[in-house]
Amino acid sequence: MSETLIQIDADRWISQLFSSQTACEGGVVRRRTRDVKLFVGLDRLRHEVDRRGYRAVENGRHIVIFCNSEPITRL
């Protein structure tokens, strides 16, 4: 598979993630860490999260993205 096809797939994955209804409403989305690494990589996801002013955490096998700029408080 060429690098261009991989990049297009990564772009599409990111686009679908952040254009989901939940993300657009400022909600919380969750993805398996394994899938993030496979489709876009952690560095790319970090970049996209930071670019949007969002927050994300990794716990166990999941990455949780808070699609808003509100602070996160650990309980």
Side-chain angles (χ1 to χ4, degrees):
M1 183 176 290
S2 74
E3 188 173 321
T4 303
L5 289 177
I6 293 170
Q7 184 63 39
I8 291 170
D9 289 343
D11 291 344
R12 183 177 300 138
W13 193 91
I14 289 289
S15 177
Q16 289 174 348
L17 173 67
F18 290 111
S19 65
S20 70
Q21 182 175 356
T22 300
C24 290
E25 292 175 349
V28 176
V29 294
R30 178 183 66 163
R31 296 292 182 270
R32 286 185 176 226
T33 301
R34 175 197 68 200
D35 293 342
V36 171
K37 289 178 179 178
L38 177 65
F39 293 113
V40 297
L42 290 175
D43 288 340
R44 171 77 188 275
L45 182 65
R46 279 188 198 104
H47 170 77
E48 296 295 337
V49 167
D50 290 344
R51 186 170 75 84
R52 290 167 169 81
Y54 297 164
R55 310 282 189 283
V57 296
E58 183 176 7
N59 178 260
R61 298 180 314 210
H62 293 94
I63 294 174
V64 180
I65 304 167
F66 302 89
C67 298
N68 59 62
S69 58
E70 298 295 320
I72 297 171
T73 304
R74 184 173 174 192
L75 301 179

Coordinates of all heavy atoms in Angstrom, one line a residue:
M1 N 0.9 -1.2 0.0 CA 0.0 0.0 0.0 C 0.9 1.2 0.0 O 1.8 1.3 0.8 CB -0.9 0.0 1.2 CG -1.9 1.1 1.3 SD -3.0 1.0 2.7 CE -4.0 -0.3 2.2
S2 N 0.6 2.2 -0.8 CA 1.4 3.4 -0.9 C 1.2 4.3 0.3 O 0.1 4.3 0.9 CB 1.1 4.1 -2.2 OG -0.1 4.8 -2.1
E3 N 2.2 5.2 0.5 CA 2.1 6.1 1.6 C 0.9 7.1 1.4 O 0.2 7.5 2.3 CB 3.4 6.9 1.7 CG 3.4 7.8 2.9 CD 4.8 8.4 3.1 OE1 5.8 7.7 2.9 OE2 4.8 9.6 3.5
T4 N 0.6 7.4 0.2 CA -0.5 8.3 -0.1 C -1.9 7.7 0.3 O -2.7 8.4 0.9 CB -0.6 8.6 -1.6 OG1 0.7 9.2 -2.0 CG2 -1.7 9.6 -1.9
L5 N -2.1 6.4 0.0 CA -3.3 5.8 0.4 C -3.4 5.7 1.9 O -4.5 5.9 2.5 CB -3.4 4.4 -0.2 CG -3.6 4.3 -1.7 CD1 -3.6 2.9 -2.2 CD2 -4.9 5.0 -2.1
I6 N -2.3 5.4 2.6 CA -2.3 5.4 4.1 C -2.7 6.7 4.6 O -3.5 6.9 5.5 CB -1.0 4.9 4.6 CG1 -0.8 3.4 4.2 CG2 -0.9 5.1 6.1 CD1 0.6 2.9 4.5
Q7 N -2.1 7.8 4.0 CA -2.4 9.2 4.5 C -3.9 9.5 4.3 O -4.5 10.1 5.1 CB -1.5 10.2 3.8 CG -1.7 11.6 4.2 CD -1.3 11.8 5.7 OE1 -0.3 11.2 6.1 NE2 -2.0 12.5 6.4
I8 N -4.4 9.1 3.1 CA -5.9 9.4 2.9 C -6.7 8.7 3.9 O -7.7 9.3 4.4 CB -6.2 9.0 1.4 CG1 -5.5 10.0 0.4 CG2 -7.7 9.0 1.2 CD1 -5.6 9.5 -1.0
D9 N -6.4 7.5 4.2 CA -7.2 6.7 5.2 C -7.1 7.4 6.5 O -8.1 7.5 7.2 CB -6.7 5.3 5.2 CG -7.1 4.5 4.0 OD1 -8.0 4.9 3.2 OD2 -6.5 3.4 3.8
A10 N -5.9 7.8 6.9 CA -5.7 8.5 8.2 C -6.5 9.8 8.2 O -7.2 10.1 9.2 CB -4.3 8.8 8.4
D11 N -6.5 10.6 7.1 CA -7.3 11.8 7.1 C -8.8 11.6 7.2 O -9.5 12.3 7.9 CB -7.0 12.5 5.7 CG -5.6 13.1 5.6 OD1 -4.9 13.2 6.7 OD2 -5.2 13.4 4.5
R12 N -9.2 10.5 6.5 CA -10.6 10.2 6.6 C -11.0 9.7 8.0 O -12.1 10.1 8.5 CB -10.9 9.0 5.6 CG -12.4 8.7 5.5 CD -12.7 7.6 4.5 NE -12.4 8.1 3.2 CZ -11.7 7.4 2.3 NH1 -11.4 6.1 2.5 NH2 -11.4 7.9 1.1
W13 N -10.2 9.0 8.6 CA -10.4 8.5 10.0 C -10.6 9.7 11.0 O -11.5 9.8 11.7 CB -9.3 7.6 10.4 CG -9.6 6.8 11.7 CD1 -10.2 5.5 11.8 CD2 -9.3 7.2 13.0 NE1 -10.3 5.1 13.1 CE2 -9.8 6.1 13.9 CE3 -8.8 8.3 13.6 CZ2 -9.6 6.2 15.3 CZ3 -8.6 8.4 15.0 CH2 -9.1 7.3 15.8
I14 N -9.6 10.6 10.9 CA -9.7 11.8 11.7 C -10.9 12.6 11.4 O -11.6 13.1 12.3 CB -8.4 12.7 11.5 CG1 -7.1 12.0 12.1 CG2 -8.6 14.1 12.0 CD1 -7.1 12.0 13.6
S15 N -11.2 12.8 10.1 CA -12.4 13.6 9.8 C -13.7 13.0 10.3 O -14.5 13.7 10.9 CB -12.5 13.7 8.2 OG -13.6 14.4 7.8
Q16 N -13.8 11.7 10.2 CA -15.0 11.0 10.7 C -15.1 11.1 12.2 O -16.2 11.3 12.8 CB -15.0 9.5 10.3 CG -15.3 9.4 8.8 CD -15.2 7.9 8.3 OE1 -14.7 7.1 9.1 NE2 -15.6 7.7 7.1
L17 N -14.0 11.0 12.9 CA -14.0 11.1 14.4 C -14.5 12.5 14.8 O -15.4 12.5 15.6 CB -12.5 10.9 14.9 CG -12.3 11.1 16.4 CD1 -13.1 10.0 17.2 CD2 -10.9 11.1 16.7
F18 N -13.9 13.5 14.3 CA -14.2 14.9 14.8 C -15.4 15.5 14.1 O -15.9 16.5 14.6 CB -13.0 15.8 14.6 CG -11.9 15.4 15.6 CD1 -10.7 14.9 15.1 CD2 -12.0 15.6 16.9 CE1 -9.7 14.5 16.0 CE2 -11.0 15.2 17.8 CZ -9.8 14.7 17.3
S19 N -16.0 14.8 13.2 CA -17.3 15.3 12.6 C -18.5 14.5 13.1 O -19.6 14.7 12.7 CB -17.2 15.3 11.1 OG -17.1 14.0 10.6
S20 N -18.2 13.6 14.0 CA -19.3 12.8 14.6 C -20.3 13.7 15.4 O -19.8 14.8 15.8 CB -18.8 11.7 15.5 OG -18.3 12.3 16.7
Q21 N -21.5 13.4 15.5 CA -22.5 14.2 16.2 C -22.0 14.5 17.6 O -22.1 15.6 18.1 CB -23.8 13.5 16.2 CG -24.9 14.4 16.9 CD -26.3 13.8 16.8 OE1 -26.5 12.7 16.2 NE2 -27.2 14.4 17.4
T22 N -21.5 13.5 18.3 CA -21.0 13.7 19.7 C -19.9 14.7 19.7 O -19.9 15.6 20.6 CB -20.6 12.3 20.2 OG1 -21.6 11.4 20.2 CG2 -20.1 12.5 21.7
A23 N -18.9 14.6 18.9 CA -17.8 15.5 18.8 C -18.3 16.9 18.5 O -17.9 17.9 19.2 CB -16.8 15.1 17.8
C24 N -19.2 17.1 17.5 CA -19.7 18.4 17.1 C -20.5 19.0 18.2 O -20.6 20.3 18.3 CB -20.5 18.3 15.9 SG -19.5 17.9 14.4
E25 N -21.1 18.2 19.1 CA -21.9 18.8 20.2 C -21.0 19.0 21.5 O -21.6 19.4 22.5 CB -23.0 17.8 20.6 CG -24.1 17.8 19.5 CD -25.1 16.7 19.7 OE1 -25.0 15.9 20.7 OE2 -26.1 16.7 19.0
G26 N -19.7 18.9 21.4 CA -18.8 19.1 22.5 C -18.8 17.9 23.5 O -18.4 18.1 24.6
G27 N -19.1 16.8 23.0 CA -19.2 15.6 23.9 C -17.9 14.9 24.0 O -16.8 15.4 23.7
V28 N -18.0 13.6 24.4 CA -16.8 12.8 24.7 C -16.8 11.6 23.7 O -17.9 10.9 23.6 CB -16.8 12.3 26.1 CG1 -15.7 11.3 26.4 CG2 -16.8 13.5 27.1
V29 N -15.7 11.4 23.1 CA -15.6 10.2 22.2 C -14.5 9.3 22.7 O -13.5 9.8 23.3 CB -15.4 10.6 20.7 CG1 -16.6 11.3 20.1 CG2 -14.1 11.4 20.5
R30 N -14.7 8.0 22.4 CA -13.7 7.0 22.9 C -13.3 6.1 21.8 O -14.1 5.7 21.0 CB -14.3 6.2 24.0 CG -13.4 5.1 24.6 CD -14.2 4.3 25.6 NE -15.3 3.6 25.0 CZ -15.9 2.6 25.5 NH1 -15.6 2.2 26.7 NH2 -16.9 2.0 24.9
R31 N -12.0 5.8 21.7 CA -11.5 4.9 20.7 C -10.5 4.0 21.3 O -9.8 4.4 22.3 CB -10.8 5.7 19.5 CG -11.7 6.5 18.7 CD -12.8 5.7 17.9 NE -13.6 6.5 17.1 CZ -14.8 7.0 17.5 NH1 -15.2 6.8 18.7 NH2 -15.6 7.7 16.7
R32 N -10.4 2.8 20.8 CA -9.4 1.9 21.3 C -8.0 2.4 20.9 O -7.8 2.8 19.8 CB -9.6 0.5 20.7 CG -10.7 -0.2 21.4 CD -10.8 -1.6 20.9 NE -11.9 -2.3 21.6 CZ -11.8 -3.5 22.1 NH1 -10.7 -4.2 21.9 NH2 -12.8 -4.0 22.7
T33 N -7.0 2.3 21.8 CA -5.7 2.7 21.6 C -5.1 2.0 20.4 O -4.4 2.5 19.5 CB -4.8 2.5 22.8 OG1 -5.4 3.3 23.9 CG2 -3.4 3.0 22.6
R34 N -5.4 0.7 20.3 CA -4.9 -0.1 19.2 C -5.4 0.4 17.8 O -4.6 0.5 16.9 CB -5.5 -1.6 19.4 CG -5.1 -2.5 18.2 CD -6.0 -3.7 18.2 NE -7.4 -3.3 17.9 CZ -8.5 -4.0 18.2 NH1 -8.4 -5.1 18.8 NH2 -9.7 -3.5 17.9
D35 N -6.6 0.9 17.8 CA -7.1 1.4 16.5 C -6.5 2.8 16.2 O -6.2 3.0 15.0 CB -8.6 1.6 16.6 CG -9.4 0.2 16.6 OD1 -8.7 -0.8 16.3 OD2 -10.5 0.2 17.0
V36 N -6.3 3.6 17.2 CA -5.6 4.9 16.9 C -4.2 4.6 16.4 O -3.8 5.3 15.4 CB -5.6 5.7 18.2 CG1 -4.7 7.0 18.0 CG2 -7.0 6.1 18.7
K37 N -3.5 3.7 17.0 CA -2.1 3.5 16.5 C -2.1 2.9 15.1 O -1.3 3.2 14.3 CB -1.4 2.5 17.5 CG -1.1 3.1 18.8 CD -0.5 2.1 19.8 CE -0.1 2.7 21.1 NZ 0.5 1.7 22.0
L38 N -3.1 2.1 14.8 CA -3.2 1.4 13.5 C -3.6 2.4 12.4 O -2.9 2.5 11.3 CB -4.2 0.3 13.5 CG -4.5 -0.4 12.2 CD1 -3.2 -1.2 11.8 CD2 -5.7 -1.4 12.4
F39 N -4.5 3.3 12.6 CA -5.1 4.1 11.6 C -4.4 5.5 11.5 O -4.3 6.0 10.4 CB -6.6 4.3 11.8 CG -7.4 3.1 11.6 CD1 -8.0 2.5 12.6 CD2 -7.4 2.5 10.3 CE1 -8.8 1.3 12.4 CE2 -8.1 1.3 10.1 CZ -8.8 0.7 11.2
V40 N -4.0 6.1 12.6 CA -3.4 7.4 12.5 C -2.1 7.6 13.3 O -1.4 8.5 13.0 CB -4.4 8.5 12.9 CG1 -5.6 8.6 12.0 CG2 -4.9 8.4 14.3
G41 N -1.9 6.9 14.3 CA -0.8 7.0 15.2 C -1.1 8.0 16.3 O -1.9 8.9 16.1
L42 N -0.4 7.8 17.4 CA -0.6 8.7 18.6 C -0.2 10.1 18.3 O -0.9 11.0 18.8 CB 0.1 8.1 19.8 CG -0.5 6.8 20.4 CD1 0.3 6.3 21.5 CD2 -2.0 7.0 20.8
D43 N 0.9 10.3 17.7 CA 1.4 11.7 17.4 C 0.4 12.5 16.6 O 0.1 13.6 16.9 CB 2.8 11.7 16.7 CG 3.9 11.2 17.6 OD1 3.7 11.3 18.9 OD2 4.9 10.8 17.1
R44 N -0.2 11.9 15.6 CA -1.1 12.6 14.7 C -2.4 12.9 15.5 O -2.9 14.0 15.4 CB -1.5 11.7 13.5 CG -2.6 12.2 12.6 CD -2.3 13.4 11.8 NE -3.4 14.0 11.1 CZ -3.9 13.6 10.0 NH1 -3.4 12.5 9.3 NH2 -4.9 14.2 9.4
L45 N -2.9 11.9 16.3 CA -4.0 12.2 17.1 C -3.8 13.3 18.1 O -4.6 14.2 18.3 CB -4.5 11.0 17.9 CG -5.8 11.2 18.7 CD1 -7.0 11.5 17.8 CD2 -6.1 10.0 19.6
R46 N -2.6 13.3 18.8 CA -2.3 14.4 19.7 C -2.3 15.7 19.0 O -2.8 16.7 19.5 CB -0.9 14.2 20.3 CG -0.8 13.2 21.4 CD 0.6 13.2 22.1 NE 0.7 12.0 22.8 CZ 1.5 10.9 22.4 NH1 2.1 10.9 21.3 NH2 1.5 9.8 23.2
H47 N -1.7 15.8 17.8 CA -1.7 17.0 17.0 C -3.1 17.5 16.8 O -3.4 18.7 16.9 CB -0.9 16.8 15.7 CG -1.1 17.9 14.8 ND1 -0.4 19.1 14.9 CD2 -1.9 18.1 13.7 CE1 -0.7 19.9 13.9 NE2 -1.6 19.3 13.2
E48 N -4.0 16.6 16.3 CA -5.4 17.0 16.0 C -6.2 17.4 17.2 O -6.9 18.4 17.2 CB -6.1 15.8 15.3 CG -5.5 15.5 13.9 CD -5.6 16.6 12.9 OE1 -6.5 17.5 13.0 OE2 -4.8 16.6 11.9
V49 N -5.9 16.8 18.3 CA -6.6 17.1 19.6 C -6.1 18.5 20.0 O -6.9 19.4 20.3 CB -6.3 16.1 20.7 CG1 -6.7 16.6 22.0 CG2 -7.1 14.8 20.4
D50 N -4.8 18.7 20.0 CA -4.3 20.0 20.4 C -4.7 21.2 19.5 O -5.0 22.3 19.9 CB -2.7 20.0 20.4 CG -2.2 19.1 21.6 OD1 -2.9 18.8 22.5 OD2 -1.0 18.8 21.5
R51 N -4.7 20.9 18.2 CA -5.1 21.9 17.2 C -6.5 22.4 17.4 O -6.8 23.5 17.2 CB -5.0 21.3 15.8 CG -5.2 22.2 14.7 CD -4.8 21.6 13.4 NE -5.8 20.6 12.9 CZ -6.9 20.9 12.2 NH1 -7.2 22.1 11.9 NH2 -7.7 19.9 11.8
R52 N -7.4 21.5 17.9 CA -8.8 21.9 18.2 C -9.0 22.4 19.6 O -10.1 22.9 19.9 CB -9.7 20.6 18.0 CG -9.8 20.2 16.5 CD -10.4 18.8 16.4 NE -10.7 18.5 15.0 CZ -9.8 18.1 14.1 NH1 -8.6 17.9 14.4 NH2 -10.2 17.9 12.9
G53 N -8.0 22.4 20.4 CA -8.1 22.9 21.8 C -8.8 21.9 22.7 O -9.4 22.3 23.7
Y54 N -8.8 20.6 22.3 CA -9.5 19.6 23.1 C -8.5 19.0 24.1 O -7.4 19.3 24.1 CB -10.1 18.5 22.2 CG -11.2 19.0 21.3 CD1 -11.5 18.2 20.2 CD2 -11.8 20.2 21.4 CE1 -12.5 18.6 19.3 CE2 -12.8 20.6 20.5 CZ -13.2 19.8 19.5 OH -14.1 20.2 18.6
R55 N -9.0 18.1 24.9 CA -8.2 17.3 25.8 C -8.4 15.8 25.6 O -9.5 15.4 25.1 CB -8.6 17.6 27.3 CG -8.7 19.0 27.7 CD -7.4 19.6 27.9 NE -7.5 20.9 28.5 CZ -7.8 22.1 27.9 NH1 -8.0 22.0 26.6 NH2 -7.8 23.2 28.5
A56 N -7.4 15.0 25.9 CA -7.6 13.6 25.7 C -6.8 12.9 26.8 O -5.8 13.4 27.3 CB -7.1 13.1 24.3
V57 N -7.3 11.7 27.2 CA -6.6 10.9 28.2 C -6.6 9.5 27.7 O -7.4 9.0 26.9 CB -7.2 11.0 29.6 CG1 -7.1 12.4 30.2 CG2 -8.7 10.5 29.5
E58 N -5.6 8.7 28.1 CA -5.5 7.3 27.8 C -5.6 6.5 29.1 O -5.0 6.8 30.1 CB -4.2 7.0 27.1 CG -4.1 5.5 26.7 CD -2.8 5.2 26.0 OE1 -1.9 6.1 25.9 OE2 -2.6 4.1 25.5
N59 N -6.5 5.5 29.1 CA -6.7 4.7 30.2 C -6.9 3.3 29.7 O -7.8 3.0 29.0 CB -7.9 5.1 31.0 CG -8.2 4.2 32.2 OD1 -9.0 3.4 32.2 ND2 -7.4 4.5 33.3
G60 N -6.0 2.4 30.2 CA -6.1 1.0 29.8 C -6.0 0.9 28.2 O -5.0 1.4 27.7
R61 N -7.0 0.3 27.6 CA -7.0 0.1 26.2 C -7.7 1.2 25.4 O -8.0 1.0 24.2 CB -7.6 -1.2 25.8 CG -6.9 -2.4 26.5 CD -7.5 -3.7 26.1 NE -9.0 -3.6 26.3 CZ -9.8 -4.6 26.6 NH1 -9.3 -5.8 26.8 NH2 -11.1 -4.5 26.8
H62 N -8.1 2.3 26.1 CA -8.9 3.3 25.4 C -8.3 4.7 25.5 O -7.6 5.0 26.5 CB -10.3 3.3 26.0 CG -11.1 2.1 25.7 ND1 -11.1 1.0 26.6 CD2 -11.8 1.7 24.6 CE1 -11.8 0.1 26.0 NE2 -12.3 0.5 24.9
I63 N -8.6 5.5 24.5 CA -8.3 6.9 24.5 C -9.6 7.6 24.6 O -10.5 7.3 23.8 CB -7.5 7.3 23.3 CG1 -6.1 6.7 23.4 CG2 -7.4 8.8 23.2 CD1 -5.2 6.9 22.1
V64 N -9.8 8.5 25.5 CA -11.0 9.3 25.6 C -10.7 10.7 25.3 O -9.8 11.3 25.8 CB -11.5 9.2 27.1 CG1 -12.8 10.0 27.3 CG2 -11.7 7.8 27.5
I65 N -11.5 11.3 24.3 CA -11.3 12.6 23.9 C -12.5 13.5 24.3 O -13.6 13.2 24.0 CB -11.1 12.7 22.3 CG1 -10.0 11.7 21.9 CG2 -10.9 14.1 21.8 CD1 -10.0 11.4 20.4
F66 N -12.2 14.6 25.0 CA -13.2 15.5 25.4 C -13.2 16.6 24.4 O -12.3 17.4 24.3 CB -12.8 16.1 26.8 CG -12.6 15.0 27.9 CD1 -11.4 14.4 28.1 CD2 -13.7 14.6 28.6 CE1 -11.3 13.4 29.0 CE2 -13.6 13.7 29.6 CZ -12.4 13.1 29.8
C67 N -14.3 16.6 23.6 CA -14.3 17.5 22.4 C -14.9 18.9 22.8 O -15.9 19.4 22.3 CB -15.2 16.9 21.3 SG -14.5 15.3 20.7
N68 N -14.2 19.5 23.8 CA -14.5 20.9 24.2 C -13.2 21.3 24.9 O -12.3 20.6 25.1 CB -15.7 20.9 25.1 CG -15.5 20.0 26.4 OD1 -14.6 20.2 27.2 ND2 -16.4 19.0 26.5
S69 N -13.2 22.6 25.3 CA -12.0 23.2 25.9 C -12.2 23.3 27.5 O -11.4 24.0 28.1 CB -11.7 24.5 25.3 OG -12.8 25.4 25.4
E70 N -13.2 22.6 28.0 CA -13.4 22.7 29.4 C -12.3 22.0 30.2 O -11.7 21.0 29.7 CB -14.7 22.0 29.8 CG -16.0 22.7 29.2 CD -16.2 24.1 29.7 OE1 -16.0 24.3 30.9 OE2 -16.5 25.0 28.9
P71 N -12.0 22.5 31.4 CA -10.9 21.8 32.2 C -11.4 20.4 32.6 O -12.6 20.1 32.7 CB -10.7 22.7 33.4 CG -11.9 23.6 33.5 CD -12.5 23.6 32.1
I72 N -10.4 19.6 32.9 CA -10.7 18.2 33.4 C -10.3 18.1 34.8 O -9.2 18.5 35.2 CB -9.9 17.2 32.5 CG1 -10.3 17.2 31.1 CG2 -10.1 15.8 33.1 CD1 -9.5 16.4 30.2
T73 N -11.2 17.6 35.6 CA -10.9 17.5 37.1 C -10.9 16.0 37.4 O -11.9 15.3 37.1 CB -12.0 18.2 37.9 OG1 -12.0 19.6 37.5 CG2 -11.6 18.1 39.4
R74 N -9.9 15.5 38.0 CA -9.8 14.1 38.4 C -10.6 13.9 39.7 O -10.4 14.7 40.6 CB -8.4 13.7 38.6 CG -8.3 12.2 38.9 CD -6.9 11.7 38.9 NE -6.9 10.4 39.4 CZ -5.8 9.7 39.7 NH1 -4.6 10.3 39.6 NH2 -5.9 8.5 40.1
L75 N -11.5 12.9 39.7 CA -12.3 12.7 40.9 C -11.7 11.7 41.8 O -11.0 10.8 41.4 CB -13.7 12.3 40.6 CG -14.5 13.3 39.7 CD1 -15.8 12.7 39.3 CD2 -14.6 14.6 40.4

